[in-house]
Amino acid sequence: GAGVSQSPSNKVTEKGKDVELRCDPISGHTALYWYRQSLGQGLEFLIYFQGNSAPDKSGLPSDRFSAERTGESVSTLTIQRTQQEDSAVYLCASSRYGTLVPDTQYFGPGTRLTVL
Amino acid sequence: GNSVTQMEGPVTLSEEAFLTINCTYTATGYPSLFWYVQYPGEGLQLLLKATKADDKGSNKGFEATYRKETTSFHLEKGSVQVSDSAVYFCALSDTEAAGNKLTFGGGTRVLVKP
């Protein structure tokens, strides 16, 4: 079936503007993750959703970052008042189970965010 | 907390050479271990995984063995091809904790020359 998809693939914005990134997970996957890949920090975890449970937000770098997910479908990552240090590739991944069992995460192609 | 350390690149090899990328980890629980690969212009793809000590993951001629005594998961391939040029990431997930979120190493860029 279809893999994880993300949109837009590229986003250029001005400092101070808000941006919204979208992720469509693999159908039937209950767990959804957001990661960020940047030159200075490598690949880092941001937030995790599992079904209807409260999300694990422990990786969000500041309160300008938030994310939502409706049920087991689409997720949006919102960055408010973007800063230049937010420039990175934002990766979404999904997995079938997500919790307490060894599981494999499948990654989308990413959204490259550039803050001018 | 959990952490992954892998050798820095770039690693430059000739075709048919032997490739080793070292990876060691620190984890509080009983992690699963992964190697992901990112080919130029593409997204992260799972290359192989191992979920318990002494397991060997293998795929596309690559192998890695989960060594609990040395907390290592080194990636090897006996004869690389130009098409293996990519960035390789070692990662762990802690299955004792909810979420299985991945902790990644810094990545190793491999360049295979014909």
Side-chain angles (χ1 to χ4, degrees), chain B residues 54-81:
Chain B
D54 299 325
D55 269 2
K56 177 186 283 188
S58 60
N59 186 26
K60 299 182 180 182
F62 289 88
E63 292 183 341
T65 301
Y66 187 89
R67 301 283 188 202
K68 192 164 187 281
E69 64 275 14
T70 54
T71 62
S72 65
F73 192 55
H74 304 322
L75 183 69
E76 296 182 337
K77 185 173 185 181
S79 177
V80 293
Q81 305 300 312

Short mmCIF file of all heavy atoms in Angstrom, two decimals, chain B residues 54-81:
data_model
loop_
_atom_site.label_atom_id
_atom_site.label_comp_id
_atom_site.label_asym_id
_atom_site.label_seq_id
_atom_site.Cartn_x
_atom_site.Cartn_y
_atom_site.Cartn_z
N ASP B 54 22.23 -10.88 20.59
CA ASP B 54 22.76 -11.94 19.71
C ASP B 54 21.97 -12.10 18.41
O ASP B 54 22.37 -12.90 17.56
CB ASP B 54 22.86 -13.29 20.43
CG ASP B 54 23.79 -13.22 21.62
OD1 ASP B 54 24.79 -12.49 21.57
OD2 ASP B 54 23.50 -13.88 22.64
N ASP B 55 20.90 -11.36 18.26
CA ASP B 55 20.19 -11.37 16.97
C ASP B 55 21.09 -10.75 15.91
O ASP B 55 21.82 -9.80 16.17
CB ASP B 55 18.91 -10.53 17.06
CG ASP B 55 17.72 -11.35 17.47
OD1 ASP B 55 17.87 -12.56 17.73
OD2 ASP B 55 16.61 -10.77 17.52
N LYS B 56 20.99 -11.27 14.70
CA LYS B 56 21.68 -10.67 13.57
C LYS B 56 20.64 -10.17 12.59
O LYS B 56 19.76 -10.94 12.15
CB LYS B 56 22.60 -11.68 12.87
CG LYS B 56 23.31 -11.11 11.64
CD LYS B 56 24.10 -12.18 10.88
CE LYS B 56 25.39 -12.50 11.57
NZ LYS B 56 26.25 -13.39 10.75
N GLY B 57 20.72 -8.88 12.25
CA GLY B 57 19.87 -8.32 11.20
C GLY B 57 20.65 -8.33 9.90
O GLY B 57 21.87 -8.13 9.88
N SER B 58 19.94 -8.57 8.79
CA SER B 58 20.63 -8.58 7.49
C SER B 58 19.67 -8.15 6.39
O SER B 58 18.46 -8.40 6.46
CB SER B 58 21.19 -9.96 7.18
OG SER B 58 20.18 -10.92 7.13
N ASN B 59 20.24 -7.49 5.39
CA ASN B 59 19.45 -7.02 4.25
C ASN B 59 20.40 -6.46 3.21
O ASN B 59 21.36 -5.76 3.55
CB ASN B 59 18.45 -5.94 4.69
CG ASN B 59 17.50 -5.52 3.59
OD1 ASN B 59 17.21 -6.28 2.68
ND2 ASN B 59 16.99 -4.30 3.68
N LYS B 60 20.18 -6.74 1.96
CA LYS B 60 20.94 -6.19 0.82
C LYS B 60 22.44 -6.42 0.98
O LYS B 60 23.26 -5.60 0.56
CB LYS B 60 20.67 -4.69 0.68
CG LYS B 60 19.22 -4.34 0.40
CD LYS B 60 19.06 -2.84 0.21
CE LYS B 60 17.62 -2.48 -0.07
NZ LYS B 60 17.45 -1.03 -0.30
N GLY B 61 22.84 -7.50 1.62
CA GLY B 61 24.26 -7.79 1.82
C GLY B 61 24.85 -7.16 3.07
O GLY B 61 26.01 -7.43 3.41
N PHE B 62 24.08 -6.33 3.75
CA PHE B 62 24.52 -5.72 5.01
C PHE B 62 24.14 -6.62 6.18
O PHE B 62 23.10 -7.28 6.15
CB PHE B 62 23.86 -4.35 5.22
CG PHE B 62 24.36 -3.27 4.29
CD1 PHE B 62 23.77 -3.09 3.05
CD2 PHE B 62 25.40 -2.45 4.66
CE1 PHE B 62 24.21 -2.09 2.19
CE2 PHE B 62 25.86 -1.45 3.81
CZ PHE B 62 25.26 -1.27 2.58
N GLU B 63 24.99 -6.60 7.22
CA GLU B 63 24.70 -7.35 8.44
C GLU B 63 25.09 -6.54 9.66
O GLU B 63 26.00 -5.71 9.59
CB GLU B 63 25.53 -8.65 8.48
CG GLU B 63 25.16 -9.68 7.45
CD GLU B 63 25.97 -10.96 7.63
OE1 GLU B 63 27.03 -10.90 8.29
OE2 GLU B 63 25.54 -11.99 7.10
N ALA B 64 24.38 -6.79 10.76
CA ALA B 64 24.76 -6.20 12.03
C ALA B 64 24.29 -7.15 13.13
O ALA B 64 23.17 -7.67 13.06
CB ALA B 64 24.16 -4.82 12.22
N THR B 65 25.13 -7.36 14.14
CA THR B 65 24.80 -8.26 15.24
C THR B 65 24.66 -7.48 16.53
O THR B 65 25.52 -6.66 16.87
CB THR B 65 25.87 -9.35 15.40
OG1 THR B 65 25.96 -10.09 14.19
CG2 THR B 65 25.50 -10.30 16.54
N TYR B 66 23.59 -7.71 17.24
CA TYR B 66 23.27 -7.04 18.51
C TYR B 66 24.14 -7.66 19.59
O TYR B 66 23.95 -8.80 19.99
CB TYR B 66 21.79 -7.28 18.78
CG TYR B 66 21.16 -6.59 19.94
CD1 TYR B 66 20.60 -5.34 19.81
CD2 TYR B 66 21.03 -7.22 21.17
CE1 TYR B 66 19.95 -4.71 20.86
CE2 TYR B 66 20.40 -6.61 22.23
CZ TYR B 66 19.86 -5.35 22.07
OH TYR B 66 19.21 -4.74 23.12
N ARG B 67 25.13 -6.89 20.07
CA ARG B 67 26.06 -7.38 21.09
C ARG B 67 25.79 -6.65 22.40
O ARG B 67 26.18 -5.49 22.58
CB ARG B 67 27.51 -7.12 20.66
CG ARG B 67 27.90 -7.77 19.35
CD ARG B 67 28.14 -9.23 19.50
NE ARG B 67 28.71 -9.82 18.26
CZ ARG B 67 28.62 -11.09 17.97
NH1 ARG B 67 27.99 -11.95 18.79
NH2 ARG B 67 29.17 -11.56 16.86
N LYS B 68 25.14 -7.33 23.31
CA LYS B 68 24.79 -6.69 24.58
C LYS B 68 26.03 -6.49 25.44
O LYS B 68 26.16 -5.48 26.15
CB LYS B 68 23.77 -7.55 25.32
CG LYS B 68 23.10 -6.89 26.51
CD LYS B 68 21.86 -7.65 26.91
CE LYS B 68 21.09 -6.93 27.99
NZ LYS B 68 21.66 -7.11 29.31
N GLU B 69 26.99 -7.42 25.37
CA GLU B 69 28.17 -7.32 26.25
C GLU B 69 29.05 -6.13 25.91
O GLU B 69 29.71 -5.57 26.78
CB GLU B 69 28.97 -8.63 26.19
CG GLU B 69 29.58 -8.97 24.85
CD GLU B 69 28.62 -9.70 23.91
OE1 GLU B 69 27.40 -9.71 24.18
OE2 GLU B 69 29.11 -10.21 22.89
N THR B 70 29.04 -5.73 24.63
CA THR B 70 29.83 -4.57 24.21
C THR B 70 28.93 -3.38 23.84
O THR B 70 29.45 -2.35 23.38
CB THR B 70 30.72 -4.91 23.01
OG1 THR B 70 29.90 -5.46 21.96
CG2 THR B 70 31.79 -5.91 23.39
N THR B 71 27.65 -3.52 24.06
CA THR B 71 26.64 -2.49 23.69
C THR B 71 26.93 -1.93 22.30
O THR B 71 27.07 -0.71 22.11
CB THR B 71 26.54 -1.37 24.74
OG1 THR B 71 27.79 -0.68 24.84
CG2 THR B 71 26.12 -1.91 26.08
N SER B 72 27.02 -2.84 21.34
CA SER B 72 27.37 -2.42 19.98
C SER B 72 26.44 -3.05 18.95
O SER B 72 25.79 -4.07 19.22
CB SER B 72 28.82 -2.80 19.67
OG SER B 72 28.98 -4.20 19.66
N PHE B 73 26.43 -2.42 17.78
CA PHE B 73 25.59 -2.90 16.66
C PHE B 73 26.27 -2.42 15.38
O PHE B 73 25.74 -1.64 14.62
CB PHE B 73 24.17 -2.35 16.81
CG PHE B 73 23.14 -2.98 15.91
CD1 PHE B 73 22.94 -4.36 15.90
CD2 PHE B 73 22.33 -2.20 15.10
CE1 PHE B 73 21.98 -4.94 15.08
CE2 PHE B 73 21.36 -2.77 14.28
CZ PHE B 73 21.19 -4.15 14.28
N HIS B 74 27.45 -2.94 15.13
CA HIS B 74 28.26 -2.48 14.00
C HIS B 74 27.69 -2.99 12.68
O HIS B 74 27.32 -4.17 12.57
CB HIS B 74 29.70 -2.97 14.15
CG HIS B 74 30.35 -2.56 15.44
ND1 HIS B 74 30.15 -1.35 16.04
CD2 HIS B 74 31.20 -3.25 16.25
CE1 HIS B 74 30.84 -1.27 17.16
NE2 HIS B 74 31.49 -2.42 17.31
N LEU B 75 27.70 -2.13 11.69
CA LEU B 75 27.18 -2.47 10.36
C LEU B 75 28.34 -2.91 9.46
O LEU B 75 29.39 -2.24 9.43
CB LEU B 75 26.48 -1.27 9.74
CG LEU B 75 25.83 -1.48 8.38
CD1 LEU B 75 24.63 -2.42 8.49
CD2 LEU B 75 25.40 -0.13 7.77
N GLU B 76 28.14 -4.00 8.72
CA GLU B 76 29.18 -4.51 7.84
C GLU B 76 28.60 -4.91 6.50
O GLU B 76 27.47 -5.37 6.41
CB GLU B 76 29.87 -5.74 8.46
CG GLU B 76 30.61 -5.46 9.74
CD GLU B 76 31.30 -6.70 10.30
OE1 GLU B 76 30.88 -7.81 9.96
OE2 GLU B 76 32.26 -6.52 11.07
N LYS B 77 29.44 -4.74 5.46
CA LYS B 77 29.11 -5.29 4.15
C LYS B 77 30.42 -5.71 3.50
O LYS B 77 31.39 -4.96 3.51
CB LYS B 77 28.38 -4.28 3.26
CG LYS B 77 27.94 -4.90 1.94
CD LYS B 77 27.07 -3.99 1.10
CE LYS B 77 26.58 -4.74 -0.14
NZ LYS B 77 25.74 -3.91 -1.03
N GLY B 78 30.41 -6.91 2.94
CA GLY B 78 31.64 -7.49 2.44
C GLY B 78 32.16 -6.88 1.16
O GLY B 78 33.37 -6.85 0.93
N SER B 79 31.28 -6.38 0.31
CA SER B 79 31.70 -5.88 -1.00
C SER B 79 30.73 -4.77 -1.42
O SER B 79 29.62 -5.05 -1.89
CB SER B 79 31.70 -7.01 -2.03
OG SER B 79 32.05 -6.53 -3.32
N VAL B 80 31.15 -3.53 -1.23
CA VAL B 80 30.22 -2.42 -1.48
C VAL B 80 30.17 -2.07 -2.97
O VAL B 80 31.10 -2.34 -3.73
CB VAL B 80 30.61 -1.16 -0.67
CG1 VAL B 80 30.43 -1.41 0.81
CG2 VAL B 80 32.04 -0.72 -0.99
N GLN B 81 29.05 -1.46 -3.34
CA GLN B 81 28.84 -0.99 -4.69
C GLN B 81 28.64 0.53 -4.68
O GLN B 81 28.34 1.11 -3.63
CB GLN B 81 27.60 -1.67 -5.30
CG GLN B 81 27.65 -3.18 -5.26
CD GLN B 81 28.84 -3.73 -6.03
OE1 GLN B 81 29.08 -3.32 -7.17
NE2 GLN B 81 29.58 -4.65 -5.43
#
